[in-house]
Amino acid sequence: MRMITRLASGVALAALAGCATLDAAPVADTPAPVVSSVAPGAPGDKPTWVNAAKTGVGASYEAYVDGQYRDGGRTGDVSRVWFSIADGVLTETMYGLIHEAQIKQLRFAVVTETGLSVEGTDTTSRTEYLHTDEQGRPLSPAYRVITTDKQGRYEIEKRIFTDPDNQSLVVRATIRALKCDVTPYVLLEPHMANTGVGDSGEAQRGALYALEGDVHLTLRPTLPFDTASVGFVGASDGLTDLADGRLDQVHDTNGNQPGNIMLTGGLPRLGPNQSLSRDFVIGFGSTRTAASSAANRTVATGLDEVLARFNGEGDRIGWEDYVASLTDLPRIAEQSTDGGKLAYASALMLKVQEDRTHAGALIASLSNPWGDTVDATESSTGYKAVWPRDFYQVAMALMALGDAETPVAAFRYLPQVQVRADTPGNTGATGWFLQKTHVDGRIEWVGVQLDQTAMPIMLGWKLWKAGRIGDAELAAMYVRMIKPAADFLVDGGKAGLLWNDRQITPPWTQQERWEEQEGYSPSTTAAVITGLTVAADIARASGDPASAARYLAAADDYASKVEARMFTTAGEYGDGRYFLRLSRNENPNDKLPLGENNGQPAMPEDRIIDGGFLELVRYGVRAADAPSITASLPEYDDQQREARFRVRYDLNGVPGFRRYGNDGYGENTDTGGNYGVGGMTPGQRGRVWPIFTGERGHYEIARASADRAPAATFDAIRRTYVAGMESFANDGLLLPEQVWDGVGDATPHGYQPGQGTNSATPLAWTHAEYIKLLRSLADRAVWDRYAPVEDRYAR
């Protein structure tokens, strides 16, 4: 419903006092725009996505029906709509599968007496949760977003959430004029069918429409727009037209030439100290009728009621119910230093980032890394895809929270992304897990990463020991998935899928956990040894003692050669004794160069250090006080090393770590530009990843547990590593992939040290690491530790 109200008189006087045009003549009414039916300028500018530093992501909570997502369960019909927020505006919004974006962004442009102001570019913003408990801990991913004009002329408050019973999104907006007259316009940029080309649109005062193929959206305002237009971005769109402060041309349609379009809806002018409230509902569907019907049903329900259902208030089933089902969340949240706010937000983030068609399909991030410079001409998933490694981290964190259902659904999902004889196009070895896939199993990348083949086995063993899956299901999954994976970890084989025809001889891996280098990796080898050790336990329970013996023999062999293959005794740094990031062959002392990556020159392997060796301790392959581990820590921690090779950066007193020395996966130190802009150049630099603050915290827990340290030691870990990870969260309590390390030219975003960059936020793995760190502290034992591995190898 439309409301225009006056602000309080004190606020009015303060606002008017700063108005630059108070003495000017009254502004005349804007001339009526010229109406032309078809917008010119097809196909519009080349499209991109938007800033990946999200401050909010959300979707409805949907209950499983027999472990799957189906209509008719406790939460009714399944909503398949996700949204994100960055720079104070609604950004990528997905409908269908979780990677299928339909909207690039929705923002406001505001014409003022002193010029045009655009949300995101000309505003500051803050993000808050709409629904919290008495301690301020979020109970649902519904948001209040406030943007304030940098010149103090207006403020916009938006409340954003989805309808759990329809394919629709709600944006409830209030615009407040703080100084002088302002005229707001809604700017909707669709990117239908996950691209920014091929879109068609139609603008009416009662609704804005967009489509590509069989995907449609309808934006319905609760009162008609004053004016409405559609145009091609950069040529005839509303934002381009408003540059002179007037909407001079309006177009009903873009005709029969699709392209990169923008839809514009004009709202009434506000005088000084007036405010306007309008609601906007965006429906999605396979036809215009279906999309409009979805929006209309949401409006008919009543938006207050829709939010109550989204939250799960009272006897409604929603996010409150999911949070309440997490039996261990209250206990582990006590280990936080922020009152549990990030723990509760992390629980929401992990569950939001699951597909709602393929139950258990857990993605890496609801973002496109460095999206504001990423081409949107072709459909791509970005990080909205399945990597079994990230997947494992999330499933284990959900287990740590006490989620009894999602990790099981995740385990049952995994055969979809394992290479089989009938995998389309496969002519080679089977049993290994695909590098990266769409949530429906569609193949995207096909490098062989042995940790991604071991981790599904590890997850299955954890679920079995926790009583989440029974012996019969485990035995069936042993035959179907676990045995083929374990056999590959022993025998390897020649890949035969798309471009990949490499021979894999474990524990040599074609790619390690950063998907860039081949050879012997401490982190990969740790997972392989662990996977084989617990596979032996599963094999015995499944009546296959011969395979059990074979798996243990291979694990024993790999474990006995960890140092011989990956620990240099003739290295460049310190006393020359430390774990390498990766050894190209079985001689860690030959100083072979690693391959060029991300614009960085090839460097001798002994000059490249990372924290992968700590995974040997996490899983139990090595004791925390093993000589090879303790010898490596000083080199990992060295902050005097030149910037290219330095890994540790203490940011605002928090121990932070890059992936490895010579990492180029990040912003350019010479130009401040995004990763990949201008090609792969030596100036690119990978920044600090909060994950590693958690990894180091886990190592310290392992060491303290082994030493039976007093409570004060664990409290120090909490105050250093838990508080450190919390410091990396943004105001929406989202954790990033990378934070700014202060090295090189400033970026256009003006990052401060420790602030999340435009790489990817929220990163599910980072939230998972934080949750697991809390669980490990609560248990006084590393959550990812495997007893059979520790008993056998951590001597």
Side-chain angles (χ1 to χ4, degrees), residues 517-532:
Q517 299 283 353
E518 63 183 46
Y520 295 92
S521 155
S523 61
T524 297
T525 304
V528 170
I529 293 167
T530 303
L532 284 171

Side-chain angles (χ1 to χ4, degrees), residues 235-453:
S236 54
D237 65 277
L239 183 58
T240 299
D241 194 1
L242 285 168
D244 63 357
R246 296 189 302 273
L247 192 65
D248 302 306
Q249 303 279 335
V250 298
H251 314 288
D252 299 331
T253 176
N254 62 301
N256 59 8
Q257 295 188 71
N260 181 14
I261 66 170
M262 181 187 294
L263 295 150
T264 302
L267 299 173
R269 177 184 294 172
L270 301 175
N273 313 308
Q274 287 186 323
S275 67
L276 167 70
S277 293
R278 285 285 178 89
D279 299 327
F280 307 96
V281 179
I282 305 173
F284 302 92
S286 58
T287 64
R288 176 186 287 194
T289 298
S292 298
S293 296
N296 292 340
R297 285 193 299 271
T298 296
V299 172
T301 299
L303 302 188
D304 289 338
E305 174 63 22
V306 170
L307 178 58
R309 294 179 184 181
F310 182 90
N311 292 337
E313 298 175 39
D315 59 359
R316 304 169 186 87
I317 305 298
W319 277 107
E320 278 193 23
D321 299 273
Y322 177 71
V323 171
S325 76
L326 303 176
T327 54
D328 288 288
L329 174 57
R331 179 173 72 92
I332 70 172
E334 293 177 0
Q335 299 299 320
S336 70
T337 70
D338 70 346
K341 294 181 179 66
L342 183 57
Y344 277 67
S346 295
L348 297 174
M349 291 306 101
L350 295 175
K351 186 62 176 176
V352 163
Q353 296 181 101
E354 177 194 14
D355 189 56
R356 299 297 194 268
T357 297
H358 302 278
L362 305 169
I363 65 166
S365 177
L366 209 64
S367 65
N368 289 306
W370 294 283
D372 53 351
T373 52
V374 171
D375 184 8
T377 301
E378 299 291 334
S379 177
S380 64
T381 57
Y383 278 5
K384 299 187 288 289
V386 172
W387 279 267
R389 174 176 43 257
D390 299 59
F391 184 104
Y392 163 84
Q393 311 295 342
V394 174
M396 285 294 292
L398 289 167
M399 278 188 70
L401 287 165
D403 184 331
E405 295 183 310
T406 312
V408 174
F411 180 63
R412 293 170 179 167
Y413 166 87
L414 280 165
Q416 297 185 53
V417 295
Q418 187 176 29
V419 176
R420 305 180 303 274
D422 61 352
T423 295
N426 183 45
T427 60
T430 60
W432 56 282
F433 282 78
L434 292 161
Q435 178 184 356
K436 178 190 178 187
T437 67
H438 295 204
V439 291
D440 60 2
R442 177 181 168 189
I443 297 171
E444 193 162 351
W445 296 348
V446 295
V448 178
Q449 301 173 9
L450 292 184
D451 60 340
Q452 296 208 128
T453 295

Side-chain angles (χ1 to χ4, degrees), residues 59-80 164-165 309-310 316-319 321-322 325 351 354-357 359-360 403 405-406 409:
S60 301
Y61 168 66
E62 303 294 339
Y64 293 132
V65 178
D66 298 326
Q68 300 295 320
Y69 284 120
R70 291 199 296 267
D71 293 343
R74 293 187 303 131
T75 48
D77 289 350
V78 177
S79 170
R80 296 181 172 90
D165 298 315
R309 294 179 184 181
F310 182 90
R316 304 169 186 87
I317 305 298
W319 277 107
D321 299 273
Y322 177 71
S325 76
K351 186 62 176 176
E354 177 194 14
D355 189 56
R356 299 297 194 268
T357 297
D403 184 331
E405 295 183 310
T406 312

Side-chain angles (χ1 to χ4, degrees), residues 50 69 251 278 285 603 639 721 778:
V50 287
Y69 284 120
H251 314 288
R278 285 285 178 89
M603 290 289 175
Q639 297 191 67
Y721 298 99

